[in-house]
Amino acid sequence: MSQKSERRGIHVDQSELLCKKGCGYYGNPAWQGFCSKCWREEYQRARQKQIQEDWALAERLQREEEAAYASSQGAQTQPTLAPFSKFEDKKTNVTTRKVTTVKKFFSPSSRAAPKKETQEAKAPSPSISRQSSVETDKVSRDFIDFLKNLQKPGRDIHKQCRVFLDTMANKKEVSAEEQSEYVQDFYQNVAEKLQVHFKGSSDRVERVMDQVEKYIMTRLYKSVFCPETTDDEKKDLAVQKRIRALHWVTLLMLCVPVNEDIPEVSDILVKAITDIIEMDSKRVPRDKLACITKCSKHIFNAIKITKKEPASADDFLPTLIYIVLKANPPRLQSNIQYITRFCNPSRLMTGEDGYYFTNLCCAVAFIEKLDAQSLNLSPEDFERYMSGQASPRRQDQDGYLSHVNNSPSLGQAYQNLEQLSGLGERQERVLEGARRLERDLIEWSDGVAREVQDILDKYPLEICPPASAIDSDNVENDRLPPPLQPQVFAG
Amino acid sequence: MASGGAGGGSKSYSFKVVLLGEGCVGKTSLVLRYCENKFNDKHITTLQASFLTKKLNIGGKRVNLAIWDTAGQERFHALGPIYYRDSNGAILVYDITDEDSFQKVKNWVKELRKMLGNEICLCIVGNKIDLDKERHVAIQEAEGYAESVGAKHYHTSAKLNKGIEELFLDLCKRMIETAQADERAKGNGSNQAGTARRGVQIVDDEPQNAAAAGGGCCSSG
Ligand SMILES: Nc1nc2c(ncn2[C@@H]2O[C@H](COP(=O)(O)OP(=O)(O)OP(=O)(O)O)[C@@H](O)[C@H]2O)c(=O)[nH]1
Ligand SMILES: [Mg+2]
């Protein structure tokens, strides 16, 4: 492989090193052969195009969505008005967004601008909205497909959702608490209608409500997650800093009933950490909850393997605290607030997800308030660890050593090293063998050649000139009489 | 029964019940016995015993019961309010052979009443009655105390499976009563009828008292 590219490198023409655009600068394979400047232009153009296409798609979907409903609604209502206004709405939305991004560039004083304007200026960058508009479209399509099965109530729900989203679009400046109230009231309204329709079958109501939540919150996410009207972001940073400062906290201090030395357990804990970090990437409250639940299930598994008995809350909570400390999940407070404000309440109050979520809230509260006592440390030790003057591991040399000896990952590393050196030896042996084989082969072929030569030398091949050549050097050939008939020779 | 009766036939309730008590009094054993009919001196097989659910049918009303175990260690004490927020019932367990654990229950009662008022149904549970000869908490004292704070007292043994069904059934009946009183109150007052939306918390004290009294009647009958 490397040889090949080297060889190719040798043959590279000077012109191939230059920017494909022909601007005279050198290009770079990382920028697909452009120079950095041309690449940026090229990339921007492609991205702009993509964004425009996505918007077009979004608008088309919007129209289709409305049309589908209009047609299925038939003569029942006048379908033209609603779709048209929706479409207009969307368009104005687009333009305001564009305008505000420009505004953002040209008004350095946007900080001092009135509240409304800062809100708008916070409109997401094109790249985010591109991503999200694709996701939003998919969610909308799924939602409509889902509602189609519900016939008439499905149409009603769809209409209700659209109207609600329109109202919310005008409520960007209200406080997060009010936004939450609106959304919760909306959930309740829809749920009540569904209760009537399904005659109290709460399972089916829940199923529809999940879809409603997904649809609504995917669309509202950008404007209501960590809004500027709150200090969510400040709290996020505070927690993040706090967790970083607590990096020295050990399993032992928290009385965590899991044994990280068991490779299986430490693998599971890594999964738990991944899950809790993943929460931030979800948009729907329920999906965020699902991440917490997945994380919790891993924790229970780890406890189960270590303790061989079902985990109680006294096992679970310390382990969850430990996982949160190790993971330092992004925007932790924002996520908790968002779930609290916008999750379907029945799920939070009594469901399993709600239990794990509550424990996560407890874990965060514990971490915020944590002091020497909560870790069974003396206040002096706690201070020294917090200030970084001492580390619990270095201080306790024995503990440190045993930690090294016991650390499963270190053990694994040593094992891997051993295996590697073993492999190296074997490879060396294989190479040696190959070299010997090569030598043998060369020797053999040389030997054969030599033998053949010897034999040839010993028994030189004397080639008798063919009979026809007997008179070939006879210069006066032409003067001879014509040759005798061949049969005479044969005879 | 006004609004409760109307939707009563098909209505289903979801209740959240928190388990509180000192370590080793048998909280985990109680729920495991109730939800999975298991008892072991060393629990086994269940993955976790911190969140368990049970579906019940009480007088034609469907009840989804969610039982929340809480971390009881002293250092987690301050987290209590996060756990019992929005709960409909609390089961406060002590070990009849351990006087301290009964003292802990008293502390919990004080705290719960302070934080949640009367809107939570309290059960005080003396567990391990199979060890009656080692009893250190007098029956009269415990029952008297429970009555004085508007709680109900139960005697259980997770080991012998005694008194546990009764405990949960009774608690459910009381919680249904409370919920129905709630609905009545809402029906009279605001337009916030029905579902569980931050339900139990938005009620003033008066109808709640009525509910507690009603619960008493119901359970005695
Ligand atoms: N004799 C007897 N022992 C019991 C009874 N209930 C529980 N135990 C025992 O008491 C011990 C503690 O029980 P758990 O259920 O783990 O207690 P817990 O309250 O959940 O304890 P923590 O989880 O530490 O808070 C176990 O060894 C049980 O076997 C009972 O009714 N009778
Ligand atoms: Mg327990």
Side-chain angles (χ1 to χ4, degrees):
Chain A
M1 224 359 216
S2 65
Q3 244 180 358
K4 210 166 143 194
S5 58
E6 254 168 48
R7 202 172 304 148
R8 213 181 329 134
I10 296 165
H11 290 292
V12 149
D13 188 305
Q14 180 70 12
S15 71
E16 279 179 51
L17 289 172
L18 292 175
C19 171
K20 279 204 305 206
K21 200 75 174 290
C23 67
Y25 284 97
Y26 283 108
N28 186 325
W31 297 318
Q32 297 182 0
F34 291 102
C35 73
S36 65
K37 186 165 166 289
C38 295
W39 164 245
R40 227 175 298 131
E41 281 169 8
E42 210 40 44
Y43 176 70
Q44 282 297 345
R45 189 173 315 135
R47 224 172 55 159
Q48 211 56 48
K49 191 160 154 261
Q50 175 81 55
I51 291 167
Q52 265 155 20
E53 279 170 11
D54 286 346
W55 275 119
L57 176 72
E59 288 187 359
R60 208 190 66 228
L61 280 169
Q62 184 86 15
R63 273 193 303 265
E64 281 173 8
E65 194 179 305
E66 299 298 346
Y69 259 91
S71 67
S72 57
Q73 263 171 335
Q76 196 186 12
T77 48
Q78 69 284 42
T80 40
L81 191 64
F84 180 68
S85 63
K86 297 282 157 51
F87 178 54
E88 281 294 281
D89 217 88
K90 183 88 186 184
K91 262 180 95 174
T92 47
N93 230 340
V94 175
T95 44
T96 36
R97 208 166 284 176
K98 269 186 196 143
V99 168
T100 45
T101 7
V102 175
K103 220 189 272 172
K104 199 163 122 195
F105 279 116
F106 286 104
S107 73
S109 60
S110 72
R111 279 267 148 230
K115 206 171 174 188
K116 184 164 181 221
E117 196 153 323
T118 31
Q119 274 287 330
E120 278 175 6
K122 227 191 119 193
S125 71
S127 70
I128 294 171
S129 72
R130 170 165 66 92
Q131 248 179 21
S132 55
S133 79
V134 172
E135 193 186 328
T136 315
D137 289 341
K138 180 164 176 352
V139 169
S140 303
R141 248 170 300 163
D142 292 350
F143 187 55
I144 290 173
D145 284 346
F146 176 81
L147 290 180
K148 271 184 188 141
N149 301 326
L150 293 179
Q151 316 263 325
K152 167 89 168 69
R155 287 195 295 276
D156 293 347
I157 289 171
H158 184 258
K159 214 156 87 194
Q160 247 182 307
C161 289
R162 301 292 324 166
V163 170
F164 176 67
L165 285 173
D166 285 349
T167 355
M168 283 304 280
N170 300 323
K171 296 247 159 44
K172 289 220 167 85
E173 317 83 44
V174 306
S175 74
E177 270 54 50
E178 281 173 89
Q179 286 178 332
S180 164
E181 284 292 314
Y182 288 128
V183 172
Q184 296 290 348
D185 283 342
F186 175 71
Y187 285 153
Q188 196 182 350
N189 275 331
V190 178
E192 270 164 25
K193 288 206 179 110
L194 289 169
Q195 285 280 1
V196 173
H197 175 72
F198 289 126
K199 303 183 180 62
S201 162
S202 46
D203 284 356
R204 295 178 69 189
V205 174
E206 284 293 294
R207 225 172 319 134
V208 180
M209 287 309 294
D210 285 345
Q211 297 298 322
V212 170
E213 178 189 321
K214 188 171 169 190
Y215 177 68
I216 293 283
M217 291 320 297
T218 312
R219 299 203 158 220
L220 291 179
Y221 180 79
K222 274 178 290 184
S223 53
V224 302
F225 185 88
C226 187
E228 279 189 356
T229 50
T230 64
D231 56 355
D232 290 358
E233 191 178 353
K234 217 172 81 199
K235 287 191 199 146
D236 284 339
L237 293 176
V239 172
Q240 195 176 49
K241 220 173 111 197
R242 173 84 175 155
I243 292 178
R244 240 182 253 148
L246 289 168
H247 65 91
W248 47 269
V249 174
T250 62
L251 287 167
L252 226 63
M253 293 174 187
L254 285 167
C255 306
V256 176
V258 298
N259 183 357
E260 277 188 318
D261 298 347
I262 305 171
E264 195 186 354
V265 171
S266 68
D267 282 357
I268 292 174
L269 291 184
V270 169
K271 283 184 198 148
I273 289 172
T274 315
D275 286 335
I276 197 73
I277 289 174
E278 207 189 338
M279 171 176 68
D280 186 54
S281 68
K282 307 288 183 197
R283 300 164 122 219
V284 183
R286 192 165 65 98
D287 294 346
K288 288 185 187 284
L289 276 183
C291 291
I292 302 173
T293 301
K294 248 168 76 188
C295 167
S296 305
K297 293 267 158 84
H298 284 310
I299 289 176
F300 284 127
N301 255 323
I303 296 172
K304 168 101 183 186
I305 293 169
T306 310
K307 276 187 76 177
K308 306 202 165 54
E309 62 178 75
S312 71
D314 272 315
D315 303 320
F316 174 60
L317 182 61
T319 318
L320 182 64
I321 291 170
Y322 181 72
I323 292 295
V324 171
L325 284 177
K326 290 296 136 194
N328 202 348
R331 302 195 286 183
L332 192 50
Q333 284 286 7
S334 288
N335 278 296
I336 288 178
Q337 291 300 333
Y338 176 74
I339 293 171
T340 314
R341 288 175 194 143
F342 301 110
C343 192
N344 187 354
S346 63
R347 192 169 288 283
L348 271 193
M349 288 212 343
T350 47
E352 187 182 22
D353 293 340
Y355 180 73
Y356 303 131
F357 177 69
T358 302
N359 273 281
L360 181 65
C361 297
C362 285
V364 174
F366 181 83
I367 288 169
E368 281 173 342
K369 300 213 179 72
L370 179 154
D371 58 13
Q373 211 184 351
S374 27
L375 296 175
N376 299 324
L377 293 171
S378 72
E380 295 79 36
D381 278 350
F382 184 80
E383 273 316 308
R384 274 186 303 143
Y385 297 155
M386 276 310 263
S387 61
Q389 282 170 354
S391 144
R393 288 182 186 162
R394 232 173 298 139
Q395 194 191 36
D396 178 11
Q397 199 64 37
D398 277 356
Y400 177 64
L401 281 178
S402 77
H403 183 83
V404 169
N405 289 338
N406 289 337
S407 160
S409 43
L410 263 184
Q412 185 105 52
Y414 282 129
Q415 215 177 319
N416 287 347
L417 274 178
E418 228 161 77
Q419 267 181 355
L420 275 178
S421 66
L423 281 176
E425 254 166 50
R426 281 164 64 182
Q427 191 181 20
E428 204 46 56
R429 250 179 289 149
V430 169
L431 273 177
E432 183 55 42
R435 258 179 255 129
R436 206 164 42 226
L437 183 64
E438 190 185 19
R439 255 192 332 265
D440 286 355
L441 275 173
I442 292 170
E443 249 167 48
W444 180 75
S445 73
D446 283 357
V448 170
R450 227 176 306 127
E451 268 173 49
V452 169
Q453 199 52 53
D454 284 354
I455 292 171
L456 280 179
D457 289 349
K458 227 184 260 172
Y459 310 102
L461 185 63
E462 278 159 38
I463 299 162
C464 313
S468 64
I470 287 175
D471 54 357
S472 67
D473 42 7
N474 195 333
V475 275
E476 285 170 329
N477 235 0
D478 46 336
R479 273 194 244 150
L480 286 173
L484 295 169
Q485 289 306 305
Q487 47 265 63
V488 178
F489 280 95
Chain B
M1 267 290 162
S3 66
S10 57
K11 190 167 177 69
S12 71
Y13 293 92
S14 288
F15 293 129
K16 167 180 165 182
V17 173
V18 284
L19 268 179
L20 298 165
E22 208 184 15
C24 269
V25 295
K27 300 183 296 287
T28 308
S29 305
L30 276 177
V31 264
L32 280 185
R33 174 62 102 177
Y34 179 59
C35 296
E36 316 204 335
N37 199 17
K38 277 186 194 125
F39 179 83
N40 206 303
D41 287 317
K42 273 195 93 175
H43 329 287
I44 33 156
T45 61
T46 331
L47 178 57
Q48 51 101 357
S50 52
F51 176 86
L52 289 161
T53 55
K54 181 117 174 168
K55 284 191 193 322
L56 298 160
N57 197 324
I58 298 175
K61 296 179 189 68
R62 271 169 296 127
V63 175
N64 294 315
L65 196 60
I67 304 166
W68 291 35
D69 191 12
T70 61
Q73 293 170 31
E74 194 48 44
R75 56 167 144 187
F76 298 133
H77 188 91
L79 305 175
I82 307 180
Y83 273 121
Y84 52 67
R85 183 176 59 197
D86 291 330
S87 36
N88 307 89
I91 297 177
L92 305 153
V93 190
Y94 68 92
D95 175 348
I96 61 161
T97 68
D98 176 3
E99 176 133 35
D100 275 356
S101 70
F102 185 62
Q103 206 51 50
K104 278 269 159 56
V105 164
K106 288 184 174 174
N107 294 343
W108 278 116
V109 169
K110 249 180 251 157
E111 186 176 329
L112 285 170
R113 284 290 183 229
K114 199 174 96 198
M115 307 294 289
L116 299 180
N118 285 328
E119 59 202 38
I120 185 166
C121 297
L122 295 186
C123 302
I124 296 178
V125 177
N127 188 38
K128 307 197 187 179
I129 52 168
D130 53 296
L131 304 175
D132 199 51
K133 43 186 180 313
E134 296 166 50
R135 176 184 278 280
H136 279 102
V137 181
I139 296 184
Q140 287 90 340
E141 191 200 336
E143 289 185 338
Y145 171 74
E147 205 180 331
S148 74
V149 294
K152 282 211 69 186
H153 190 279
Y154 304 84
H155 305 276
T156 63
S157 165
K159 188 168 186 172
L160 305 179
N161 197 8
K162 274 201 176 145
I164 298 174
E165 284 290 335
E166 292 87 330
L167 159 67
F168 282 98
L169 191 65
D170 205 39
L171 173 61
C172 284
K173 284 183 186 163
R174 286 163 62 203
M175 290 190 298
I176 291 175
E177 285 284 318
T178 310
Q180 284 175 343
D182 240 39
E183 280 163 25
R184 271 200 299 275
K186 279 178 195 157
N188 295 340
S190 64
N191 52 0
Q192 275 201 324
T195 42
R197 154 124 155 81
R198 291 161 191 183
V200 204
Q201 279 205 328
I202 334 172
V203 189
D204 24 345
D205 278 349
E206 280 181 57
Q208 205 58 44
N209 288 335
C217 290
C218 174
S219 56
S220 66

